Amino acid sequence: MTDTDASSGAGDRRAATDHAAGSLAALVAVAERLAVAPRLEPATGRPVLQAVADAAAAILDAEAASIAVHDANAGRLTFVVAAGPHGTGVVGLSIDAAAGIAGYALTTGQALAVADVASDARFDRETAARTGYVPRSLLAVTLADEDGTVGVLE
């Protein structure tokens, strides 16, 4: 490998990191603006949540986007809306609130950008198998209101 090859590789990695950071920032901005939606009544809240998922998929040029709402009493995350060609399989799915990357984001409050989902120990392969879709990469952002974390946007 030449010095040019090495610097080109470093530049490619830097560009990929910058792109992921920009994508995560865009996703956080969408989530922050519409975080109150999970507390809305289903008749009015569901279209707002769908609009957020649609916007996230479009902004990030993603194959899928979904929103899971947290039920603290049951200890579950339930995926209520999805967007994108690979998103629909997750709607209605309920998982343990600590399961997978969504559960990690929920329990830690930490936004995540995972470049290689298949190699991440937090990835819930069982849930992916149930949906029929395994993403290559994933962003996860918690949704919160004045009462705390209410869900996760992936």
Side-chain angles (χ1 to χ4, degrees):
M1 174 168 39
T2 67
D3 289 337
T4 303
D5 292 339
S7 64
S8 175
D12 290 346
R13 286 190 299 279
R14 189 173 312 110
T17 300
D18 290 347
H19 178 70
S23 296
L24 185 56
L27 193 54
V28 168
V30 169
E32 286 174 347
R33 287 188 191 107
L34 297 166
V36 72
R39 294 279 190 225
L40 299 173
E41 292 297 315
T44 57
R46 197 63 49 98
V48 173
L49 293 176
Q50 186 63 58
V52 171
D54 290 341
I59 288 168
L60 300 170
D61 192 26
E63 294 176 342
S66 61
I67 295 178
V69 175
H70 182 224
D71 180 343
N73 293 329
R76 309 290 294 172
L77 273 171
T78 301
F79 291 88
V80 294
V81 296
H86 296 287
T88 57
V90 75
V91 175
L93 188 65
S94 178
I95 63 171
D96 183 85
I101 294 170
Y104 183 86
L106 179 78
T107 58
T108 65
Q110 180 179 359
L112 299 169
V114 180
D116 183 7
V117 170
S119 68
D120 193 292
R122 298 167 292 201
F123 179 58
D124 184 354
R125 286 156 183 75
E126 179 182 317
T127 298
R130 289 169 54 193
T131 67
Y133 173 64
V134 178
R136 291 181 307 272
S137 59
L138 190 139
L139 299 173
V141 179
T142 57
L143 301 173
D145 66 9
E146 64 278 354
D147 295 328
T149 304
V150 295
V152 177
L153 169 63
E154 285 189 316

